[in-house]
Amino acid sequence: MFSKVADRLVYGILAFSPENAFGSALHFFVYDVLKILFLLSVIIFSISFLRTYLQAQKVKAYIEKLPKLPAHFLAALFGAVTPFCSCSSVPIFIGFMEAKIPFGIAMSFLITSPLINEIALLVLAGVLGIKITCIYLVTGISIGMFGGFILEKLGCAQYLQDYLRLNTLQFAARSCSCASAPKETILLTMRIKSAWANTRELIRKIWLFILFGIGIGAFLHGYVPKEFFMEHMQAENIFAVPLAVIAGIPLYSDATTIIPIAEVLIQKGSAIGTVLVFMMAVVGLSLPEMVILAKVMKKELIIRYLLFMACSFILVGYFYNSIL
């Protein structure tokens, strides 16, 4: 459906040729904008509606009572199904600390949350397929679980900011007013209204960044020769994976925004594993994210966090390239 609309607009009404660089780039832009914004709207609304039945305090209390391994898994899974970047994940992390949830379990959430969210996974599945999406999901959750475990074992809790415990648990309380109200008093229309309001608010916050990401992807699609990516980002280039991780550090984006760029890189012949770890580095290891994390972490913890994430991404990149 979206492809037909893009075809009619770009190749029909505007009369560009598919062989024309600008026409090809514009077609990519129109198609991805329609597809991604539609998917975002549907999924954000659906998840927001389901979250009106979720009480954050009960979820945290349940996680706290579990054995270590299941608790780390559920914390990472919770991070995967929350559509947050680091700036939104930090307040929830603070809430976990205030609720006296163990540091390592809270870190599993904090690591996984920017790497994976349900919106990005569905967009990724539509762009790159179910197989790659499932592998990305499993490895992302594994990084979160192992990261929380190892950072706790290294005693990194002592490197949280001193003022951390002065913060209050306000974010979770206001994240969904329906979740804290008695269920019998909540009408279906109230839940739908709350979900729609949340959908509009999230789309309003991120639409410009999505257009920016798609615009970069469209430029790469139309103007950057395929041979460039085949030469520098192939799996046979042993330095491609660490260089992709380094290249992601100056950038900042959420997982949804970076997916159109990843799509073009793969279409141009780049190794899938290299592109996926570039995505991970952009959303989980960027300098702007480190500035955000400095709100809750001292430099000793940030350095350990950086080293763990960089090493994990590099190892995962080589693993991806060996199986994909």
Side-chain angles (χ1 to χ4, degrees):
M1 178 178 68
F2 303 120
S3 180
K4 290 182 179 179
V5 173
D7 287 345
R8 181 168 179 80
L9 174 62
V10 178
Y11 301 142
I13 298 175
L14 299 178
F16 285 105
S17 168
E19 286 73 33
N20 178 272
F22 181 80
S24 178
L26 183 61
H27 182 275
F28 179 93
F29 182 82
V30 172
Y31 171 72
D32 263 36
V33 166
L34 293 174
K35 177 178 67 175
I36 290 177
L37 288 180
F38 174 79
L39 287 172
L40 281 175
S41 300
V42 171
I43 300 306
I44 292 174
F45 177 83
S46 301
I47 297 300
S48 297
F49 178 77
L50 292 176
R51 285 201 185 107
T52 63
Y53 293 91
L54 182 67
Q55 293 181 298
Q57 293 291 343
K58 289 185 177 181
V59 171
K60 291 187 287 186
Y62 176 73
I63 289 176
E64 190 176 13
K65 295 177 182 177
L66 290 173
K68 285 288 185 180
L69 185 60
H72 279 287
F73 172 73
L74 283 182
L77 187 63
F78 182 58
V81 299
T82 49
F84 304 135
C85 59
S86 298
C87 57
S88 301
S89 302
V90 168
I92 299 181
F93 174 79
I94 292 172
F96 281 3
M97 292 289 94
E98 291 290 338
K100 294 181 170 49
I101 289 180
F103 167 78
I105 294 173
M107 284 300 299
S108 290
F109 163 81
L110 186 64
I111 292 171
T112 310
S113 184
L115 291 180
I116 302 172
N117 65 63
E118 76 278 10
I119 300 168
L121 287 177
L122 286 164
V123 175
L124 188 64
V127 170
L128 301 180
I130 298 295
K131 176 184 175 181
I132 293 176
T133 302
C134 289
I135 293 173
Y136 184 86
L137 172 63
V138 171
T139 52
I141 290 178
S142 299
I143 290 172
M145 290 177 61
F146 183 69
F149 178 81
I150 195 68
L151 290 173
E152 183 173 40
K153 287 298 182 182
L154 292 174
C156 292
Q158 62 182 308
Y159 299 123
L160 290 171
Q161 289 288 1
D162 296 332
Y163 61 82
L164 175 62
R165 305 199 184 282
L166 299 177
N167 289 281
T168 59
L169 190 55
Q170 294 177 345
F171 180 86
R174 67 172 183 266
S175 60
C176 179
S177 56
C178 291
S180 60
K183 290 186 178 180
E184 61 271 14
T185 68
I186 304 173
L187 299 174
L188 179 62
T189 53
M190 293 173 59
R191 298 185 189 278
I192 293 174
K193 184 177 179 180
S194 175
W196 178 240
N198 188 55
T199 301
R200 285 184 299 167
E201 179 66 15
L202 281 175
I203 293 292
R204 185 184 68 81
K205 289 180 177 179
I206 66 177
W207 72 270
L208 191 59
F209 298 100
I210 291 172
L211 294 185
F212 179 72
I214 296 174
I216 294 175
F219 174 80
L220 295 174
H221 178 82
Y223 289 97
V224 181
K226 179 178 181 179
E227 292 73 20
F228 175 84
F229 297 101
M230 295 184 67
E231 179 182 354
H232 296 286
M233 297 187 71
Q234 280 294 304
E236 289 76 14
N237 183 356
I238 194 172
F239 299 108
V241 170
L243 288 176
V245 172
I246 293 172
I249 292 176
L251 307 176
Y252 183 70
S253 174
D254 63 17
T256 307
T257 307
I258 201 67
I259 287 172
I261 301 174
E263 177 187 13
V264 176
L265 293 175
I266 292 174
Q267 288 177 353
K268 290 285 188 175
S270 300
I272 295 176
T274 304
V275 174
L276 291 180
V277 295
F278 171 71
M279 280 179 53
M280 286 183 165
V282 170
V283 300
L285 200 59
S286 65
L287 287 176
E289 185 191 359
M290 295 305 107
V291 174
I292 295 169
L293 292 179
K295 296 178 181 179
V296 294
M297 298 179 182
K298 295 180 180 178
K299 63 181 180 180
E300 293 87 349
L301 179 51
I302 291 179
I303 291 172
R304 288 166 172 77
Y305 179 90
L306 276 168
L307 290 174
F308 169 78
M309 297 290 274
C311 292
S312 297
F313 292 166
I314 290 171
L315 290 175
V316 165
Y318 287 125
F319 170 72
Y320 284 156
N321 283 339
S322 69
I323 64 171
L324 296 174

